Amino acid sequence: MPTWTKEDMETKEEKTTNIKKVTEAGRYAVEVTYAIDKGLNRNGHAYWAIGFSTIDDSSFVCYDNLTLEGDMPHIAFKKMSLLGVEQDEEGSYNINEAGELKGKRCFVTVEKGEYDGKEKLEPRPAKGTFFGYEPFTPLVPKSGNDEGEVDVPF
């Protein structure tokens, strides 16, 4: 017997209009909150679609596609490594399904673009990034006292 909530009864349009969204181009600390195997693209190559939301307030930022076959799968592989997919003992990166990317973090630089006649944000190459992706490295104080204050040498 199925179980559902009020949110499950919303249409796709209702769900997307109720989501808090980032609207400005820029650099954001993000987490993968959507990851799905989309099958084959129009060129017949396997690809995954992922969606990013900000780490601080879960505002939706953008979608991106990771094409796993064809002429340039190395782009998707590099993006996934920047998201934090780890290497095994032999130095290989392994991931079995798109859902394993959920929760992975990085910095992404986005600019305004257009899709199906609608304005949207999309990852864009920027200095110091790979197609707009950078590894996520949270700032952690190197030393501090019990109150969490950082020692300053002056």
Side-chain angles (χ1 to χ4, degrees), residues 71-131:
D71 295 341
M72 298 186 287
H74 63 281
I75 295 171
F77 299 155
K78 176 71 175 185
K79 287 178 178 181
M80 287 189 283
S81 70
L82 291 169
L83 281 168
V85 174
E86 296 181 6
Q87 288 178 294
D88 62 18
E89 299 83 33
E90 289 83 37
S92 297
Y93 295 88
N94 296 299
I95 188 165
N96 296 311
E97 59 184 41
E100 293 177 47
L101 293 173
K102 285 185 180 178
K104 299 289 186 188
R105 294 178 169 189
C106 72
F107 287 100
V108 67
T109 300
V110 293
E111 291 182 6
K112 291 185 178 184
E114 189 177 303
Y115 181 75
D116 281 343
K118 296 179 184 175
E119 188 175 274
K120 67 173 189 124
L121 294 176
E122 49 193 27
R124 286 286 188 230
K127 186 174 183 173
T129 73
F130 181 81
F131 287 87

Short mmCIF file of all heavy atoms in Angstrom, two decimals, residues 71-131:
data_model
loop_
_atom_site.label_atom_id
_atom_site.label_comp_id
_atom_site.label_asym_id
_atom_site.label_seq_id
_atom_site.Cartn_x
_atom_site.Cartn_y
_atom_site.Cartn_z
N ASP A 71 33.71 11.14 -26.72
CA ASP A 71 35.02 11.74 -26.96
C ASP A 71 35.68 12.33 -25.72
O ASP A 71 36.90 12.43 -25.66
CB ASP A 71 34.91 12.86 -28.01
CG ASP A 71 34.50 12.32 -29.36
OD1 ASP A 71 34.66 11.11 -29.61
OD2 ASP A 71 34.01 13.13 -30.18
N MET A 72 34.88 12.78 -24.74
CA MET A 72 35.47 13.51 -23.62
C MET A 72 34.96 13.09 -22.24
O MET A 72 34.61 13.95 -21.43
CB MET A 72 35.27 15.01 -23.83
CG MET A 72 35.96 15.51 -25.08
SD MET A 72 35.91 17.28 -25.29
CE MET A 72 34.21 17.53 -25.75
N PRO A 73 34.97 11.80 -21.90
CA PRO A 73 34.52 11.42 -20.56
C PRO A 73 35.48 11.91 -19.48
O PRO A 73 35.10 12.01 -18.32
CB PRO A 73 34.47 9.89 -20.61
CG PRO A 73 35.46 9.53 -21.67
CD PRO A 73 35.37 10.64 -22.69
N HIS A 74 36.72 12.27 -19.88
CA HIS A 74 37.70 12.74 -18.90
C HIS A 74 37.19 13.99 -18.17
O HIS A 74 37.57 14.22 -17.02
CB HIS A 74 39.04 13.02 -19.57
CG HIS A 74 39.00 14.11 -20.59
ND1 HIS A 74 38.53 13.90 -21.87
CD2 HIS A 74 39.35 15.42 -20.52
CE1 HIS A 74 38.61 15.04 -22.55
NE2 HIS A 74 39.09 15.98 -21.75
N ILE A 75 36.33 14.77 -18.80
CA ILE A 75 35.79 15.97 -18.14
C ILE A 75 34.92 15.55 -16.96
O ILE A 75 35.06 16.06 -15.85
CB ILE A 75 35.02 16.86 -19.14
CG1 ILE A 75 35.98 17.41 -20.19
CG2 ILE A 75 34.27 17.97 -18.42
CD1 ILE A 75 35.30 18.11 -21.35
N ALA A 76 34.03 14.59 -17.17
CA ALA A 76 33.17 14.09 -16.09
C ALA A 76 34.01 13.44 -15.00
O ALA A 76 33.76 13.63 -13.81
CB ALA A 76 32.15 13.11 -16.63
N PHE A 77 35.03 12.67 -15.40
CA PHE A 77 35.88 11.99 -14.42
C PHE A 77 36.62 13.01 -13.54
O PHE A 77 36.69 12.85 -12.32
CB PHE A 77 36.87 11.07 -15.11
CG PHE A 77 36.24 9.98 -15.93
CD1 PHE A 77 36.93 9.41 -16.98
CD2 PHE A 77 34.95 9.50 -15.66
CE1 PHE A 77 36.36 8.40 -17.75
CE2 PHE A 77 34.37 8.50 -16.43
CZ PHE A 77 35.09 7.94 -17.47
N LYS A 78 37.14 14.06 -14.14
CA LYS A 78 37.85 15.10 -13.38
C LYS A 78 36.86 15.82 -12.45
O LYS A 78 37.18 16.08 -11.28
CB LYS A 78 38.52 16.08 -14.34
CG LYS A 78 39.22 17.24 -13.67
CD LYS A 78 40.47 16.83 -12.94
CE LYS A 78 41.18 18.07 -12.40
NZ LYS A 78 42.45 17.77 -11.79
N LYS A 79 35.67 16.14 -12.94
CA LYS A 79 34.68 16.80 -12.09
C LYS A 79 34.34 15.93 -10.88
O LYS A 79 34.25 16.43 -9.75
CB LYS A 79 33.41 17.12 -12.89
CG LYS A 79 33.56 18.26 -13.88
CD LYS A 79 32.27 18.47 -14.66
CE LYS A 79 32.36 19.63 -15.62
NZ LYS A 79 31.08 19.84 -16.36
N MET A 80 34.16 14.62 -11.11
CA MET A 80 33.83 13.73 -9.99
C MET A 80 34.98 13.63 -8.99
O MET A 80 34.77 13.55 -7.79
CB MET A 80 33.41 12.36 -10.50
CG MET A 80 32.03 12.38 -11.14
SD MET A 80 31.38 10.74 -11.52
CE MET A 80 32.30 10.34 -13.01
N SER A 81 36.23 13.67 -9.49
CA SER A 81 37.36 13.64 -8.56
C SER A 81 37.40 14.93 -7.74
O SER A 81 37.71 14.91 -6.55
CB SER A 81 38.68 13.41 -9.29
OG SER A 81 39.05 14.53 -10.07
N LEU A 82 37.05 16.07 -8.35
CA LEU A 82 37.00 17.34 -7.62
C LEU A 82 35.86 17.35 -6.60
O LEU A 82 35.92 18.07 -5.60
CB LEU A 82 36.87 18.51 -8.58
CG LEU A 82 38.12 18.77 -9.44
CD1 LEU A 82 37.82 19.77 -10.54
CD2 LEU A 82 39.27 19.24 -8.58
N LEU A 83 34.82 16.56 -6.86
CA LEU A 83 33.73 16.43 -5.90
C LEU A 83 34.11 15.56 -4.70
O LEU A 83 33.40 15.51 -3.71
CB LEU A 83 32.50 15.82 -6.57
CG LEU A 83 31.66 16.78 -7.41
CD1 LEU A 83 30.66 16.01 -8.26
CD2 LEU A 83 30.95 17.78 -6.51
N GLY A 84 35.22 14.87 -4.81
CA GLY A 84 35.69 14.08 -3.67
C GLY A 84 35.54 12.58 -3.82
O GLY A 84 35.67 11.86 -2.83
N VAL A 85 35.26 12.08 -5.03
CA VAL A 85 35.29 10.63 -5.23
C VAL A 85 36.74 10.21 -5.02
O VAL A 85 37.65 10.76 -5.63
CB VAL A 85 34.78 10.23 -6.63
CG1 VAL A 85 34.96 8.74 -6.87
CG2 VAL A 85 33.33 10.64 -6.81
N GLU A 86 36.94 9.26 -4.11
CA GLU A 86 38.30 8.90 -3.70
C GLU A 86 38.89 7.77 -4.53
O GLU A 86 38.17 6.95 -5.10
CB GLU A 86 38.31 8.53 -2.23
CG GLU A 86 37.92 9.71 -1.35
CD GLU A 86 37.95 9.37 0.12
OE1 GLU A 86 38.39 8.26 0.49
OE2 GLU A 86 37.54 10.23 0.91
N GLN A 87 40.22 7.74 -4.53
CA GLN A 87 40.95 6.67 -5.22
C GLN A 87 41.08 5.46 -4.31
O GLN A 87 41.16 5.60 -3.09
CB GLN A 87 42.36 7.15 -5.57
CG GLN A 87 42.42 8.17 -6.68
CD GLN A 87 43.84 8.62 -6.93
OE1 GLN A 87 44.43 9.25 -6.08
NE2 GLN A 87 44.36 8.30 -8.09
N ASP A 88 41.12 4.28 -4.93
CA ASP A 88 41.37 3.06 -4.17
C ASP A 88 42.88 2.83 -4.04
O ASP A 88 43.68 3.67 -4.48
CB ASP A 88 40.66 1.86 -4.79
CG ASP A 88 41.13 1.53 -6.20
OD1 ASP A 88 42.22 1.98 -6.62
OD2 ASP A 88 40.39 0.81 -6.92
N GLU A 89 43.27 1.71 -3.48
CA GLU A 89 44.69 1.42 -3.26
C GLU A 89 45.49 1.37 -4.56
O GLU A 89 46.68 1.67 -4.57
CB GLU A 89 44.86 0.08 -2.53
CG GLU A 89 44.22 0.02 -1.16
CD GLU A 89 42.73 -0.31 -1.22
OE1 GLU A 89 42.29 -1.06 -2.10
OE2 GLU A 89 41.99 0.23 -0.37
N GLU A 90 44.84 0.99 -5.66
CA GLU A 90 45.53 0.90 -6.94
C GLU A 90 45.57 2.24 -7.67
O GLU A 90 46.13 2.35 -8.77
CB GLU A 90 44.86 -0.14 -7.84
CG GLU A 90 45.07 -1.58 -7.39
CD GLU A 90 44.09 -2.00 -6.31
OE1 GLU A 90 42.92 -1.59 -6.35
OE2 GLU A 90 44.52 -2.73 -5.40
N GLY A 91 44.94 3.27 -7.11
CA GLY A 91 44.94 4.58 -7.74
C GLY A 91 43.76 4.82 -8.68
O GLY A 91 43.72 5.83 -9.37
N SER A 92 42.79 3.91 -8.68
CA SER A 92 41.61 4.06 -9.54
C SER A 92 40.47 4.72 -8.75
O SER A 92 40.34 4.52 -7.55
CB SER A 92 41.12 2.70 -10.03
OG SER A 92 42.09 2.08 -10.82
N TYR A 93 39.67 5.48 -9.47
CA TYR A 93 38.47 6.06 -8.90
C TYR A 93 37.32 5.12 -9.25
O TYR A 93 37.21 4.68 -10.39
CB TYR A 93 38.19 7.44 -9.50
CG TYR A 93 39.23 8.48 -9.17
CD1 TYR A 93 40.35 8.64 -9.96
CD2 TYR A 93 39.08 9.29 -8.05
CE1 TYR A 93 41.31 9.60 -9.66
CE2 TYR A 93 40.03 10.26 -7.75
CZ TYR A 93 41.15 10.40 -8.55
OH TYR A 93 42.08 11.35 -8.25
N ASN A 94 36.48 4.82 -8.27
CA ASN A 94 35.37 3.91 -8.52
C ASN A 94 34.07 4.51 -8.01
O ASN A 94 34.00 4.99 -6.88
CB ASN A 94 35.60 2.57 -7.80
CG ASN A 94 36.81 1.85 -8.34
OD1 ASN A 94 36.84 1.51 -9.51
ND2 ASN A 94 37.80 1.60 -7.50
N ILE A 95 33.07 4.45 -8.85
CA ILE A 95 31.72 4.87 -8.46
C ILE A 95 30.75 4.00 -9.25
O ILE A 95 30.93 3.78 -10.45
CB ILE A 95 31.51 6.38 -8.70
CG1 ILE A 95 30.20 6.85 -8.11
CG2 ILE A 95 31.66 6.75 -10.15
CD1 ILE A 95 30.10 8.36 -7.98
N ASN A 96 29.75 3.46 -8.58
CA ASN A 96 28.85 2.52 -9.22
C ASN A 96 27.56 3.13 -9.74
O ASN A 96 26.98 2.62 -10.68
CB ASN A 96 28.52 1.38 -8.24
CG ASN A 96 29.75 0.58 -7.90
OD1 ASN A 96 30.50 0.17 -8.77
ND2 ASN A 96 29.97 0.37 -6.61
N GLU A 97 27.11 4.20 -9.09
CA GLU A 97 25.85 4.81 -9.52
C GLU A 97 25.84 6.29 -9.18
O GLU A 97 26.57 6.75 -8.29
CB GLU A 97 24.66 4.11 -8.89
CG GLU A 97 24.67 4.13 -7.38
CD GLU A 97 23.52 3.33 -6.78
OE1 GLU A 97 23.21 2.25 -7.29
OE2 GLU A 97 22.94 3.83 -5.80
N ALA A 98 25.01 7.02 -9.88
CA ALA A 98 24.94 8.47 -9.72
C ALA A 98 24.63 8.87 -8.28
O ALA A 98 25.19 9.85 -7.76
CB ALA A 98 23.89 9.07 -10.66
N GLY A 99 23.78 8.13 -7.62
CA GLY A 99 23.37 8.46 -6.25
C GLY A 99 24.52 8.56 -5.26
O GLY A 99 24.41 9.21 -4.23
N GLU A 100 25.65 7.91 -5.57
CA GLU A 100 26.82 7.98 -4.70
C GLU A 100 27.42 9.38 -4.65
O GLU A 100 28.22 9.69 -3.77
CB GLU A 100 27.88 6.98 -5.14
CG GLU A 100 27.47 5.53 -4.96
CD GLU A 100 28.53 4.57 -5.48
OE1 GLU A 100 29.72 4.75 -5.17
OE2 GLU A 100 28.15 3.64 -6.22
N LEU A 101 27.04 10.24 -5.59
CA LEU A 101 27.54 11.62 -5.60
C LEU A 101 26.79 12.52 -4.63
O LEU A 101 27.29 13.59 -4.27
CB LEU A 101 27.46 12.20 -7.02
CG LEU A 101 28.38 11.56 -8.05
CD1 LEU A 101 28.08 12.10 -9.44
CD2 LEU A 101 29.84 11.79 -7.68
N LYS A 102 25.59 12.10 -4.19
CA LYS A 102 24.83 12.92 -3.25
C LYS A 102 25.64 13.15 -1.99
O LYS A 102 26.25 12.24 -1.44
CB LYS A 102 23.49 12.28 -2.91
CG LYS A 102 22.48 12.38 -4.01
CD LYS A 102 21.14 11.84 -3.56
CE LYS A 102 20.13 11.95 -4.67
NZ LYS A 102 18.84 11.38 -4.24
N GLY A 103 25.67 14.42 -1.56
CA GLY A 103 26.41 14.79 -0.37
C GLY A 103 27.85 15.20 -0.64
O GLY A 103 28.51 15.75 0.24
N LYS A 104 28.34 14.95 -1.85
CA LYS A 104 29.71 15.36 -2.21
C LYS A 104 29.73 16.88 -2.34
O LYS A 104 28.76 17.49 -2.80
CB LYS A 104 30.17 14.72 -3.51
CG LYS A 104 30.23 13.21 -3.47
CD LYS A 104 31.36 12.71 -2.61
CE LYS A 104 31.49 11.20 -2.71
NZ LYS A 104 32.44 10.69 -1.73
N ARG A 105 30.85 17.48 -1.97
CA ARG A 105 30.95 18.95 -1.95
C ARG A 105 32.10 19.47 -2.81
O ARG A 105 33.11 18.79 -2.98
CB ARG A 105 31.16 19.42 -0.52
CG ARG A 105 29.98 19.13 0.37
CD ARG A 105 30.22 19.56 1.78
NE ARG A 105 28.98 19.53 2.54
CZ ARG A 105 28.84 20.00 3.75
NH1 ARG A 105 29.85 20.57 4.36
NH2 ARG A 105 27.67 19.93 4.36
N CYS A 106 31.91 20.69 -3.29
CA CYS A 106 32.96 21.40 -4.01
C CYS A 106 32.60 22.88 -4.03
O CYS A 106 31.56 23.28 -3.50
CB CYS A 106 33.12 20.86 -5.44
SG CYS A 106 31.77 21.29 -6.58
N PHE A 107 33.44 23.67 -4.62
CA PHE A 107 33.09 25.05 -4.95
C PHE A 107 32.75 25.04 -6.42
O PHE A 107 33.41 24.36 -7.21
CB PHE A 107 34.27 26.01 -4.70
CG PHE A 107 34.54 26.27 -3.26
CD1 PHE A 107 35.55 25.60 -2.60
CD2 PHE A 107 33.77 27.19 -2.54
CE1 PHE A 107 35.81 25.84 -1.26
CE2 PHE A 107 34.01 27.43 -1.21
CZ PHE A 107 35.04 26.76 -0.56
N VAL A 108 31.73 25.77 -6.80
CA VAL A 108 31.37 25.86 -8.21
C VAL A 108 31.19 27.33 -8.57
O VAL A 108 30.61 28.10 -7.81
CB VAL A 108 30.11 25.02 -8.55
CG1 VAL A 108 28.87 25.57 -7.90
CG2 VAL A 108 29.90 24.88 -10.04
N THR A 109 31.75 27.71 -9.71
CA THR A 109 31.59 29.05 -10.24
C THR A 109 30.54 28.99 -11.34
O THR A 109 30.64 28.17 -12.25
CB THR A 109 32.92 29.59 -10.81
OG1 THR A 109 33.88 29.61 -9.74
CG2 THR A 109 32.76 30.98 -11.38
N VAL A 110 29.51 29.83 -11.21
CA VAL A 110 28.40 29.80 -12.17
C VAL A 110 28.20 31.17 -12.81
O VAL A 110 28.52 32.20 -12.22
CB VAL A 110 27.08 29.35 -11.50
CG1 VAL A 110 27.17 27.91 -11.06
CG2 VAL A 110 26.72 30.25 -10.32
N GLU A 111 27.70 31.13 -14.04
CA GLU A 111 27.30 32.34 -14.76
C GLU A 111 25.90 32.12 -15.30
O GLU A 111 25.43 30.99 -15.41
CB GLU A 111 28.27 32.61 -15.93
CG GLU A 111 29.64 33.01 -15.48
CD GLU A 111 30.57 33.32 -16.65
OE1 GLU A 111 30.11 33.32 -17.81
OE2 GLU A 111 31.75 33.55 -16.39
N LYS A 112 25.25 33.21 -15.65
CA LYS A 112 23.90 33.11 -16.19
C LYS A 112 23.93 32.55 -17.60
O LYS A 112 24.79 32.88 -18.40
CB LYS A 112 23.21 34.47 -16.17
CG LYS A 112 22.91 34.93 -14.75
CD LYS A 112 22.13 36.21 -14.70
CE LYS A 112 21.85 36.55 -13.24
NZ LYS A 112 21.02 37.72 -13.09
N GLY A 113 22.99 31.69 -17.89
CA GLY A 113 22.83 31.09 -19.20
C GLY A 113 21.35 30.95 -19.49
O GLY A 113 20.51 31.50 -18.78
N GLU A 114 21.03 30.15 -20.51
CA GLU A 114 19.64 29.96 -20.88
C GLU A 114 19.41 28.51 -21.27
O GLU A 114 20.26 27.88 -21.91
CB GLU A 114 19.28 30.88 -22.05
CG GLU A 114 17.80 30.91 -22.35
CD GLU A 114 17.47 31.89 -23.46
OE1 GLU A 114 17.79 33.08 -23.32
OE2 GLU A 114 16.89 31.44 -24.48
N TYR A 115 18.26 27.97 -20.88
CA TYR A 115 17.88 26.61 -21.26
C TYR A 115 16.38 26.61 -21.50
O TYR A 115 15.61 27.05 -20.64
CB TYR A 115 18.26 25.61 -20.16
CG TYR A 115 17.91 24.19 -20.50
CD1 TYR A 115 18.66 23.47 -21.43
CD2 TYR A 115 16.82 23.57 -19.91
CE1 TYR A 115 18.34 22.17 -21.76
CE2 TYR A 115 16.49 22.26 -20.23
CZ TYR A 115 17.25 21.56 -21.15
OH TYR A 115 16.94 20.27 -21.48
N ASP A 116 15.96 26.14 -22.64
CA ASP A 116 14.53 26.12 -23.01
C ASP A 116 13.87 27.48 -22.84
O ASP A 116 12.74 27.59 -22.36
CB ASP A 116 13.77 25.06 -22.20
CG ASP A 116 13.98 23.65 -22.72
OD1 ASP A 116 14.43 23.50 -23.88
OD2 ASP A 116 13.67 22.71 -21.98
N GLY A 117 14.60 28.53 -23.19
CA GLY A 117 14.05 29.87 -23.13
C GLY A 117 13.99 30.47 -21.73
O GLY A 117 13.45 31.55 -21.55
N LYS A 118 14.52 29.77 -20.73
CA LYS A 118 14.50 30.27 -19.36
C LYS A 118 15.92 30.55 -18.88
O LYS A 118 16.85 29.80 -19.17
CB LYS A 118 13.86 29.25 -18.42
CG LYS A 118 12.40 28.99 -18.72
CD LYS A 118 11.84 27.95 -17.78
CE LYS A 118 10.41 27.61 -18.15
NZ LYS A 118 9.87 26.53 -17.34
N GLU A 119 16.07 31.65 -18.13
CA GLU A 119 17.38 31.98 -17.57
C GLU A 119 17.71 31.01 -16.45
O GLU A 119 16.85 30.63 -15.66
CB GLU A 119 17.35 33.41 -17.02
CG GLU A 119 18.71 33.90 -16.61
CD GLU A 119 18.70 35.35 -16.17
OE1 GLU A 119 18.81 36.23 -17.04
OE2 GLU A 119 18.57 35.58 -14.96
N LYS A 120 18.97 30.58 -16.43
CA LYS A 120 19.43 29.68 -15.38
C LYS A 120 20.90 29.92 -15.13
O LYS A 120 21.58 30.59 -15.92
CB LYS A 120 19.21 28.22 -15.79
CG LYS A 120 20.09 27.81 -16.96
CD LYS A 120 20.01 26.35 -17.25
CE LYS A 120 21.06 25.98 -18.27
NZ LYS A 120 21.95 24.95 -17.85
N LEU A 121 21.41 29.39 -14.03
CA LEU A 121 22.83 29.45 -13.75
C LEU A 121 23.46 28.14 -14.20
O LEU A 121 22.83 27.08 -14.11
CB LEU A 121 23.08 29.66 -12.24
CG LEU A 121 22.63 30.99 -11.68
CD1 LEU A 121 22.83 31.03 -10.18
CD2 LEU A 121 23.37 32.14 -12.34
N GLU A 122 24.71 28.23 -14.70
CA GLU A 122 25.40 27.02 -15.13
C GLU A 122 26.89 27.15 -14.82
O GLU A 122 27.44 28.25 -14.82
CB GLU A 122 25.17 26.77 -16.62
CG GLU A 122 25.40 27.95 -17.49
CD GLU A 122 24.86 27.76 -18.90
OE1 GLU A 122 23.91 27.00 -19.12
OE2 GLU A 122 25.40 28.42 -19.80
N PRO A 123 27.54 26.00 -14.51
CA PRO A 123 28.97 26.04 -14.23
C PRO A 123 29.73 26.60 -15.43
O PRO A 123 29.43 26.26 -16.58
CB PRO A 123 29.34 24.58 -14.00
CG PRO A 123 28.06 23.90 -13.65
CD PRO A 123 27.01 24.65 -14.40
N ARG A 124 30.71 27.46 -15.16
CA ARG A 124 31.51 28.06 -16.21
C ARG A 124 32.98 28.09 -15.79
O ARG A 124 33.28 28.35 -14.63
CB ARG A 124 31.07 29.51 -16.47
CG ARG A 124 29.77 29.60 -17.19
CD ARG A 124 29.96 29.22 -18.66
NE ARG A 124 28.75 29.50 -19.39
CZ ARG A 124 28.17 28.64 -20.19
NH1 ARG A 124 28.66 27.45 -20.36
NH2 ARG A 124 27.08 28.96 -20.83
N PRO A 125 33.87 27.83 -16.74
CA PRO A 125 35.29 27.91 -16.40
C PRO A 125 35.66 29.29 -15.87
O PRO A 125 35.18 30.30 -16.36
CB PRO A 125 35.98 27.64 -17.74
CG PRO A 125 34.98 26.88 -18.55
CD PRO A 125 33.64 27.43 -18.12
N ALA A 126 36.46 29.31 -14.84
CA ALA A 126 36.99 30.54 -14.27
C ALA A 126 38.42 30.26 -13.86
O ALA A 126 38.80 29.10 -13.66
CB ALA A 126 36.15 30.98 -13.08
N LYS A 127 39.22 31.30 -13.74
CA LYS A 127 40.62 31.13 -13.38
C LYS A 127 40.71 30.31 -12.09
O LYS A 127 40.02 30.57 -11.11
CB LYS A 127 41.28 32.49 -13.18
CG LYS A 127 42.76 32.40 -12.95
CD LYS A 127 43.41 33.76 -12.91
CE LYS A 127 44.91 33.56 -12.74
NZ LYS A 127 45.62 34.81 -12.86
N GLY A 128 41.55 29.29 -12.11
CA GLY A 128 41.75 28.43 -10.94
C GLY A 128 40.73 27.33 -10.79
O GLY A 128 40.70 26.64 -9.78
N THR A 129 39.86 27.15 -11.80
CA THR A 129 38.84 26.10 -11.73
C THR A 129 38.98 25.15 -12.91
O THR A 129 39.65 25.45 -13.89
CB THR A 129 37.41 26.69 -11.76
OG1 THR A 129 37.11 27.15 -13.08
CG2 THR A 129 37.24 27.81 -10.76
N PHE A 130 38.31 24.01 -12.81
CA PHE A 130 38.20 23.08 -13.93
C PHE A 130 36.74 23.06 -14.33
O PHE A 130 35.91 22.52 -13.60
CB PHE A 130 38.68 21.67 -13.53
CG PHE A 130 38.60 20.69 -14.65
CD1 PHE A 130 39.60 20.63 -15.61
CD2 PHE A 130 37.52 19.83 -14.79
CE1 PHE A 130 39.53 19.74 -16.66
CE2 PHE A 130 37.44 18.93 -15.84
CZ PHE A 130 38.46 18.88 -16.78
N PHE A 131 36.42 23.73 -15.43
CA PHE A 131 35.03 23.86 -15.89
C PHE A 131 34.13 24.39 -14.77
O PHE A 131 32.98 23.98 -14.64
CB PHE A 131 34.51 22.54 -16.45
CG PHE A 131 35.09 22.19 -17.79
CD1 PHE A 131 36.28 21.49 -17.88
CD2 PHE A 131 34.45 22.58 -18.96
CE1 PHE A 131 36.83 21.18 -19.11
CE2 PHE A 131 35.00 22.27 -20.20
CZ PHE A 131 36.19 21.58 -20.28
#
